[in-house]
Amino acid sequence: MKTDIFPLNYFKSIFRPTDMFTGRHQLNWLQIILVFFFLNGLILIPVSLEFAKMDTYEIDETYPNAFALIDDATVTSLEDATFSQGEMEHAPIFFQEKETGVIGGNLSEEKREQALEMENAVLFQKEGITIKEAGQPISNIKYTRGFDLSGVTNEKELQAAISNQWFTQNKAIVVGGLIFAVFNIAFASLLFFVIGASFFIYLTKRGQSSSIRTYKESVNLIVNTLGLATLIAMITGLLGFDVAVIMMTQSTALIFILLAVFYYTHFSDEYVERKQQQKIETQYGKSGY
């Protein structure tokens, strides 16, 4: 009898409860691991699409002490500043030294070095903004061609403008970091489902009617059921993004699919064969043979 090759054999075993159970012998450990990463990748599809749409990112938590230096006096000092083609054309000169750091604009090289000796600093230079936060590397943010502060009227708006400039130049790093964080969460969650659920399924071998004999069979069965559960979770994420909802949908779907597998198979090959035989006999009986 011809056996479907991987991964076709897996996809044929994830849509019907009976196939999920009877297909529990088809994958070896390497294939199970590959499927595991594939399922984790499916979860990341709505995550990646959502994060790719991000157009802003608040960095006040990344640079809390530096951003605390920005106040209404800073906004007043910059109210006459004009920008063109990524540079500050009319650059006001100011130097405000505070207890926790320095905030300044259009400083000379000497003054700039003096400011950067402080623990925290925010400097508006002709080419860009320099942010120094204690314990972190100095960040240099170039002005974009469309950067403008003419509409800024308070410190919150100025902080938001700086955040937008920072995010524009660091979007790939930020989005990549967020996706990696969600990947780790999804990976741990999926691993927990597989190990935990497989263990409980494996315990059914103590029952006289159960046909499950090895832990690998249990893992293969759970991976099969997770295929459909993960597809449902992915579609849910595409319709309305929320990481918590995606994880909850996946785990809830897994439970209901496992119940369906048990209902249709009783985890017994003999039960499945008997049901299939009854179905064949019923069909032949109705056709008059």
Side-chain angles (χ1 to χ4, degrees):
M1 182 177 178
K2 184 178 179 180
T3 304
D4 291 318
I5 61 173
F6 179 80
L8 184 60
N9 57 350
Y10 174 72
F11 291 117
K12 282 191 173 183
S13 302
I14 67 173
F15 295 107
R16 296 176 65 248
T18 302
D19 293 337
M20 294 175 188
F21 179 73
T22 57
R24 70 188 188 279
H25 301 286
Q26 298 188 80
L27 304 180
N28 58 42
W29 281 113
L30 177 59
Q31 291 168 344
I32 288 174
I33 293 172
L34 292 175
V35 169
F36 183 87
F37 279 98
F38 169 73
L39 295 177
N40 204 50
L42 288 181
I43 290 294
L44 291 182
I45 290 177
V47 175
S48 301
L49 293 176
E50 185 66 22
F51 286 154
K53 294 188 293 186
M54 290 177 61
D55 56 7
T56 185
Y57 182 80
E58 298 298 329
I59 63 170
D60 52 338
E61 294 185 3
T62 306
Y63 304 104
N65 297 313
F67 265 49
L69 299 171
I70 300 173
D71 53 21
D72 289 336
T74 309
V75 177
T76 301
S77 299
L78 290 167
E79 62 184 6
D80 294 328
T82 58
F83 299 84
S84 177
Q85 301 299 311
E87 289 189 356
M88 185 161 56
E89 288 187 330
H90 179 67
I93 300 174
F94 63 96
F95 186 90
Q96 301 168 4
E97 188 170 352
K98 304 181 180 182
E99 292 184 4
T100 57
V102 169
I103 188 161
N106 195 20
L107 302 180
S108 64
E109 188 61 29
E110 181 181 351
K111 276 288 188 181
R112 181 179 181 278
E113 291 180 1
Q114 178 184 338
L116 293 178
E117 290 177 357
M118 303 290 288
E119 286 190 347
N120 309 291
V122 179
L123 309 177
F124 297 86
Q125 300 295 89
K126 288 188 176 182
E127 298 80 15
I129 305 168
T130 299
I131 301 177
K132 181 184 179 184
E133 176 79 17
Q136 296 191 35
I138 296 175
S139 178
N140 294 300
I141 308 170
K142 295 291 185 180
Y143 300 124
T144 58
R145 290 183 177 274
F147 183 71
D148 186 23
L149 293 178
S150 59
V152 172
T153 59
N154 56 60
E155 60 185 81
K156 292 297 182 183
E157 293 178 355
L158 180 56
Q159 291 173 353
I162 297 173
S163 293
N164 289 339
Q165 288 295 289
W166 183 90
F167 180 68
T168 298
Q169 297 171 45
N170 294 276
K171 183 175 181 177
I173 297 175
V174 173
V175 171
L178 292 173
I179 292 176
F180 182 70
V182 176
F183 171 85
N184 288 332
I185 294 173
F187 184 90
S189 176
L190 202 60
L191 187 62
F192 174 79
F193 290 155
V194 172
I195 294 176
S198 299
F199 175 74
F200 285 108
I201 296 298
Y202 177 63
L203 293 179
T204 65
K205 78 169 189 173
R206 297 180 179 180
Q208 294 181 354
S209 62
S210 178
S211 298
I212 295 175
R213 292 293 175 263
T214 67
Y215 186 70
K216 188 180 85 65
E217 288 180 52
S218 302
V219 174
N220 198 156
L221 173 58
I222 294 301
V223 168
N224 289 348
T225 57
L226 270 171
L228 182 57
T230 303
L231 286 174
I232 294 172
M234 182 192 72
I235 293 171
T236 301
L238 292 174
L239 294 176
F241 175 75
D242 188 304
V243 174
V245 172
I246 294 174
M247 296 291 101
M248 187 177 298
T249 300
Q250 185 186 45
S251 59
T252 303
L254 172 63
I255 293 171
F256 281 102
I257 293 171
L258 271 176
L259 290 174
V261 171
F262 179 75
Y263 176 80
Y264 283 102
T265 69
H266 288 203
F267 297 152
S268 169
D269 291 327
E270 294 180 0
Y271 182 86
V272 172
E273 291 173 2
R274 187 166 64 249
K275 284 295 182 180
Q276 289 176 342
Q277 185 63 34
Q278 290 175 356
K279 184 177 180 181
I280 293 172
E281 292 174 355
T282 300
Q283 290 175 343
Y284 273 100
K286 288 182 178 180
S287 61
Y289 289 99

